[in-house]
Amino acid sequence: HTVEEVMDMAKNKKKKDKQPTLEDLLKYEIATDLGLAEKVDREGWGGLTAQETGRIGGMLSSRRREKGKNGEA
C-alpha cells in the first residue's frame, strides 16, 4: 500500500485525490523496515505509539541528513 492508501483506509476512504508526497512514501518505507506497515495499514498513523512514531521520525531525520551529505535533494 502507498501511504495515501493507508491514510485513506484510516479515514474511511474519504479522500483519494491527494497524491502522497515523497516524505509520505519515505515514512511508509521506514514503517515497513521497522515491521510497522501492517499496523499502519490496520489502524492508521494514529494507531502507532509515541515510541514507534519517534523511531520513524528519527530514521526519517537520519535519511535526510544522509541525502544532504551525499549532495542529493
Side-chain angles (χ1 to χ4, degrees):
H1 297 290
T2 67
V3 172
E4 185 63 28
E5 288 171 341
V6 172
M7 292 167 74
D8 284 342
M9 285 184 249
K11 294 179 182 179
N12 297 322
K13 299 183 181 180
K14 289 182 182 177
K15 294 182 180 180
K16 280 208 166 191
D17 54 350
K18 181 180 175 260
Q19 290 292 334
T21 64
L22 291 175
E23 185 169 325
D24 291 336
L25 296 173
L26 182 57
K27 187 168 72 168
Y28 191 76
E29 179 182 313
I30 292 169
T32 301
D33 293 345
L34 295 173
L36 297 171
E38 186 177 315
K39 185 173 183 179
V40 172
D41 289 344
R42 190 176 58 246
E43 301 175 28
W45 294 107
L48 298 178
T49 66
Q51 182 179 11
E52 292 165 340
T53 302
R55 289 174 65 199
I56 291 171
M59 290 180 73
L60 191 60
S61 295
S62 295
R63 289 192 186 181
R64 280 194 198 125
R65 275 193 301 275
E66 273 298 310
K67 285 186 177 186
K69 287 180 183 177
N70 292 333
E72 296 176 13

